[in-house]
Amino acid sequence: MTAYERLREACGVIRDLEHTAALLDWDQQTFMPVNAEPDRVAQLTTLAGVIHEKQTDPGFARLLEQAEAECRDCPPDSVQACLIRRLRRDFEKQSKVPVDLVKQLAEAAAQAHSAWAGAREKAQFSLFAPHLERLLDLRRQYAALFAPHESIYDPLLDNFEEGFTAKQLDVLFADLRRKLVPLLRRIIDSQPPAECPKAVYGEKEQLAFTDEVLHAIGYDFTRGRQDQSAHPFTTGFSLNDVRITTRIFPEMPLSALLSSIHECGHALYEQGISRELDRTPLADGASFGFHESQSRLWENLVGRSRAFWEYCFPVFRRYFPEQLKEASAEQIWRAVNHVEATLIRTESDEVTYNLHIMLRYEMEKELLNGTLAVKDAPAAWNAKSMELLGVEPTNDSEGILQDIHWSMGEFGYFPTYAVGNLLAAQTWCAAEKQVPGLEAEIAKGNFRPLLDFLRRKVHVLGARFTPAETLRRSLDASEIVPDHFIRLLEKKYSQICGF
Ligand code: ZN
């Protein structure tokens, strides 16, 4: 066996262990009996320890070195070269961080998480404040290990969007904000009211309806399944087992449908990754932003399009003939595109979503830089909410305490959601150019041409290349820009609002 083959096998073992942990986690969130919780936590902790041991084994580092020497002449875009690049990068990053800091971060996050849940329930930020302070301090220590850098934010962002910097985000978000805020005002001032008929939509029928739509758009049920959970998510145990969950509200059938389509977008990405990358860290999305671009493309650019509802409305009505007897495709299309500036990010629409992200990005930077004190953070949040969205939280639960991310010590994650939205629009515009009759096919319920395009251009590559290189290869683009996103919104809302 060559050193590369042994390295690949070692990767495979780590990947198997990670997937086993993912399966235990999936079960915990879907079917596990409630009293099994402490045992499951113990099992997951044991597995995390075993995985960490394997990753930091000195034998693994030696193998990586030998494989590097062996593959020195491999073409840079070969799987060998790509895998070695990725492993080297991960290894260098990991070896910069002392084990003690890793443990402190894990411990602080575990404590912060329960404190956050309690604080959110009581709407009392002060209960979470000392934990946030501690996590920010530990993350500053973490970022310092990667000095020199232009912004303390960069090493944190790099964990989610390799190579992307705060400076690039500042430019991107300033441009987006300048175009988005006036557009939002125009939409809110002129959109006609529209809603899905108020009624009870049975749970069983909702689930069957979403299953049928998932089949139509190309989700492979022989290599995945859909279940229910409190928060919808996608998880994979191999390229042949990528599962999704959805959440059903009896009075809001469009919520489950769009959740299912969103998660399906993530799952289609992973089901489409080249088999030759299986059991390696390259069998994943190119970045968090890329992963989100696939879910947003299906959710917003397909699932909220006029063409999609031409196909989908008759299906919807077949499951709910009574509830929808007076409704039309046009009405449901307008309802799924209704815009309203609200307080909660996860319930926000396509137009306001990125403004929620900008708020969090600004807060994170100021908190990490120390220009904003933790004690002043709730007031700063509320002021930014007013400034960006025109709405102000009445308590901390609907303001600064609404998201889980900071309680996990995750700073730098939020911007990837906005990056995903912008990338989705860029991807869609590329598809429009290259796939003849794209919308006409969608209106007929034929999603194959779009899926084939995504498979060929994006999915198959997985995490083989850096995000910047993936962007170049898949979309022939050199940077992420807001123009496509804005243009698509303007086009849709000029039809809805008549401007
Ligand atoms: Zn997502």
Side-chain angles (χ1 to χ4, degrees):
M1 249 183 156
T2 63
Y4 174 76
E5 283 164 350
R6 279 184 288 141
L7 179 71
R8 206 178 151 135
E9 183 51 29
C11 269
V13 170
I14 293 172
R15 204 72 182 153
D16 291 346
L17 289 165
E18 286 171 344
H19 284 147
T20 309
L23 179 54
L24 288 177
D25 178 66
W26 170 83
D27 176 66
Q28 186 174 14
Q29 296 192 57
T30 50
F31 296 110
M32 189 186 80
V34 60
N35 280 351
E37 176 98 28
D39 312 307
R40 185 54 49 88
V41 171
Q43 290 152 0
L44 283 165
T45 310
T46 301
L47 263 176
V50 175
I51 292 167
H52 183 74
E53 242 168 63
K54 298 259 177 215
Q55 281 169 334
T56 51
D57 182 357
F60 190 83
R62 270 198 305 277
L63 212 47
L64 178 56
E65 239 169 70
Q66 290 165 7
E68 275 171 332
E70 202 176 85
C71 297
R72 199 171 294 129
D73 299 327
C74 291
D77 61 352
S78 64
V79 174
Q80 287 96 319
C82 293
L83 179 59
I84 287 172
R85 181 198 77 82
R86 170 61 183 262
L87 293 174
R88 172 55 66 193
R89 171 183 181 262
D90 292 350
F91 180 78
E92 293 300 327
K93 285 193 85 163
Q94 271 166 7
S95 53
K96 275 205 169 82
V97 188
V99 181
D100 194 42
L101 183 58
V102 175
K103 279 191 190 149
Q104 286 185 61
L105 267 165
E107 203 186 335
Q111 289 166 356
H113 181 72
S114 43
W116 165 76
R120 189 167 84 147
E121 216 180 291
K122 297 194 181 83
Q124 212 176 323
F125 178 74
S126 59
L127 299 172
F128 177 56
H131 297 274
L132 180 59
E133 190 97 62
R134 168 116 182 95
L135 283 167
L136 285 164
D137 182 49
L138 290 169
R139 278 298 174 197
R140 278 186 211 109
Q141 290 179 38
Y142 174 93
L145 299 167
F146 297 89
H149 38 64
E150 240 186 290
S151 160
I152 191 170
Y153 201 78
D154 292 348
L156 303 174
L157 181 61
D158 188 75
N159 287 340
F160 305 101
E161 274 323 290
E162 182 186 352
F164 215 54
T165 64
K167 198 173 171 181
Q168 285 170 295
L169 269 184
D170 287 344
V171 174
L172 185 62
F173 282 176
D175 192 12
L176 179 59
R177 182 176 174 167
R178 201 172 49 244
K179 292 166 179 159
L180 191 54
V181 171
L183 178 61
L184 172 63
R185 291 281 143 246
R186 282 173 76 198
I187 294 171
I188 286 183
D189 289 346
S190 57
Q191 76 182 337
E195 60 179 9
C196 186
K198 285 197 167 60
V200 172
Y201 297 76
E203 180 177 311
K204 226 174 66 216
E205 291 79 10
Q206 281 203 43
L207 205 56
F209 168 48
T210 61
D211 274 350
E212 180 171 340
V213 174
L214 295 182
H215 265 294
I217 65 183
Y219 179 65
D220 183 351
F221 277 88
T222 68
R223 297 193 291 132
R225 50 180 290 136
Q226 176 174 241
D227 296 281
Q228 295 180 56
S229 65
H231 301 283
F233 66 99
T234 304
T235 183
F237 318 129
S238 79
L239 297 179
N240 287 320
D241 193 351
V242 189
R243 303 187 187 187
I244 62 174
T245 66
T246 194
R247 175 170 51 176
I248 291 174
F249 298 103
E251 283 163 19
M252 295 194 287
L254 299 172
S255 165
L257 177 72
L258 291 163
S259 269
S260 288
I261 296 176
H262 178 100
E263 299 307 329
C264 178
H266 282 299
L268 288 172
Y269 192 178
E270 297 201 9
Q271 286 184 338
I273 293 171
S274 165
R275 292 285 163 276
E276 59 179 341
L277 305 178
D278 207 4
R279 287 182 90 229
T280 77
L282 304 183
D284 204 339
S287 69
F288 279 63
F290 260 100
H291 228 307
E292 196 64 9
S293 75
Q294 296 306 298
S295 57
R296 299 285 170 158
L297 184 141
W298 285 98
E299 178 194 349
N300 289 335
L301 298 165
V302 177
R304 289 188 158 92
S305 70
R306 185 71 184 81
F308 175 79
W309 282 98
E310 257 173 64
Y311 142 74
C312 194
F313 181 71
V315 181
F316 191 21
R317 186 146 66 180
R318 181 151 40 74
Y319 284 92
F320 302 102
E322 272 309 302
Q323 293 90 329
L324 297 172
K325 63 174 182 279
E326 315 258 299
S328 67
E330 173 84 16
Q331 179 190 348
I332 303 299
W333 170 63
R334 286 170 181 270
V336 292
N337 286 296
H338 190 75
V339 174
E340 198 180 341
T342 55
L343 295 166
I344 307 294
R345 173 185 61 89
T346 54
E347 290 162 17
S348 64
D349 53 74
E350 197 183 352
V351 181
T352 54
Y353 193 93
N354 289 329
L355 297 170
H356 287 268
I357 298 306
M358 287 178 210
L359 183 160
R360 284 151 183 78
Y361 171 63
E362 286 177 16
M363 293 283 299
E364 285 187 344
K365 271 199 316 184
E366 290 170 21
L367 284 166
L368 284 160
N369 284 331
T371 48
L372 173 64
V374 167
K375 68 173 172 45
D376 301 327
W381 179 290
N382 294 354
K384 282 184 199 297
S385 177
M386 197 61 206
E387 183 194 327
L388 281 159
L389 292 153
V391 287
E392 197 175 349
T394 55
N395 64 56
D396 294 342
S397 289
E398 50 185 41
I400 192 166
L401 290 172
Q402 64 180 273
D403 297 305
I404 196 172
H405 305 59
W406 292 350
S407 79
M408 296 160 74
E410 307 278 29
F411 305 99
Y413 188 131
F414 281 121
T416 69
Y417 292 126
V419 167
N421 283 327
L422 305 185
L423 256 180
Q426 274 178 267
T427 309
W428 176 264
C429 290
E432 269 185 331
K433 271 196 202 131
Q434 294 176 50
V435 180
L438 179 65
E439 286 189 61
E441 290 306 316
I442 289 176
K444 286 189 265 176
N446 179 15
F447 299 91
R448 198 72 229 177
L450 174 61
L451 183 57
D452 283 346
F453 170 84
L454 296 172
R455 287 269 191 262
R456 208 171 58 243
K457 293 286 181 180
V458 184
H459 299 178
V460 72
L461 299 177
R464 202 161 151 167
F465 303 103
T466 62
E469 178 67 7
T470 307
L471 186 63
R472 194 185 66 74
R473 285 173 183 259
S474 57
L475 301 182
D476 198 18
S478 58
E479 58 181 347
I480 298 164
V481 289
D483 309 45
H484 307 78
F485 174 78
I486 294 289
R487 198 167 66 235
L488 291 171
L489 284 183
E490 279 173 347
K491 189 173 150 204
K492 178 157 68 182
Y493 285 95
S494 68
Q495 289 168 7
I496 290 175
C497 304
F499 57 68

